[in-house]
Amino acid sequence: MLKFTAEHEWLKLEGDIATVGITSHAAEQLGDLVFVELPEVGAELVKDGNAATVESVKAASDVYCPLDGEVIEINQAIVDDPSLVNSDPQGAAWFFKLKLKNPGDADALLDESAYKDLIG
């Protein structure tokens, strides 16, 4: 199941684990990424807190944590090759996996239809 935030993050939910990345829309708006900084495995993140940083030729931007949880895995591939985020933002270029404190909180996030309405 995919969920989205108004800040352009997506989550793929599998039980109490959420795979998190930025949406295709966000990747298009940023332009060609040249740098990605991810959180440490084991980091405790809070909803709406800064989770990662991306830099493009246009600007630097924060990636926010969509829900409370602990980082259990990061995607080193996008640190090594940030352009993956531009080529496959909602697939191979996920950012991190989060063990959710309260999986039910995901119900309050946007579904795909609501996200598409948001970005017009």
Side-chain angles (χ1 to χ4, degrees):
M1 172 196 299
L2 279 181
K3 290 288 197 172
F4 299 85
T5 71
E7 290 77 32
H8 312 291
E9 289 88 25
W10 60 265
L11 297 80
K12 181 179 178 189
L13 299 165
E14 298 171 273
D16 64 348
I17 305 298
T19 302
V20 179
I22 64 170
T23 64
S24 299
H25 176 77
E28 288 168 20
Q29 296 298 310
L30 286 165
D32 294 336
L33 291 187
V34 295
F35 176 78
V36 175
E37 181 179 60
L38 297 176
E40 300 274 328
V41 171
E44 293 283 337
L45 301 180
V46 296
K47 180 177 176 10
D48 298 329
N50 189 350
T53 303
V54 293
E55 287 183 26
S56 71
V57 292
K58 292 182 184 178
S61 185
D62 291 328
V63 176
Y64 300 102
C65 190
L67 297 169
D68 295 343
E70 177 187 352
V71 177
I72 58 168
E73 187 178 344
I74 61 166
N75 187 356
Q76 186 62 41
I78 65 170
V79 173
D80 297 338
D81 183 4
S83 70
L84 287 173
V85 178
N86 297 108
S87 61
D88 193 10
Q90 288 180 224
W94 55 275
F95 279 51
F96 56 90
K97 294 188 179 187
L98 197 63
K99 182 168 178 44
L100 300 175
K101 282 193 175 164
N102 302 301
D105 291 350
D107 294 343
L109 299 175
L110 303 171
D111 63 17
E112 192 163 2
S113 172
Y115 181 72
K116 285 182 177 174
D117 288 347
L118 175 77
I119 61 175

